[in-house]
Amino acid sequence: MKIAVPDVISNSYFPAAGAVELGFFKQEGLDVSLELIFPVDQAYAALRDGAVDFVGGSAHSALAAFPGVCSSYRYYACPLVPLAGRYW
């Protein structure tokens, strides 16, 4: 399994990086590697294309790789669409 993260400096992704490096996944019988893919929308594109299995990144960034997620809602009614620079 591959976990993509957009950086290895931010403490936001440290739990995933630490679990891989300290062998926690291996102790559970999982062969997991960490892959640095920047920027985060490219990490989600790798997930979409099957190159990685998981992404440790901001949820709103997934929209770049998965357009149309909220196509059944009006643009302003989708909770993942940025409004005035914020996500709700």
Side-chain angles (χ1 to χ4, degrees):
M1 258 187 278
K2 290 183 185 177
I3 300 175
V5 294
D7 72 63
V8 290
I9 298 188
S10 170
N11 58 3
S12 297
Y13 314 114
F14 178 76
V20 170
E21 294 300 318
L22 294 172
F24 293 151
F25 290 110
K26 194 171 291 286
Q27 289 175 3
E28 297 298 323
L30 300 170
D31 183 23
V32 177
S33 62
L34 200 64
E35 189 164 336
L36 177 63
I37 302 176
F38 179 82
V40 70
D41 60 326
Q42 293 300 316
Y44 279 109
L47 176 69
R48 178 197 63 215
D49 298 339
V52 298
D53 301 296
F54 297 96
V55 173
S58 55
H60 66 270
S61 299
L63 292 177
F66 299 96
V69 168
C70 294
S71 62
S72 63
Y73 299 99
R74 290 178 167 248
Y75 182 78
Y76 60 83
C78 177
L80 300 178
V81 174
L83 294 175
R86 285 177 255 163
Y87 297 86
W88 51 283

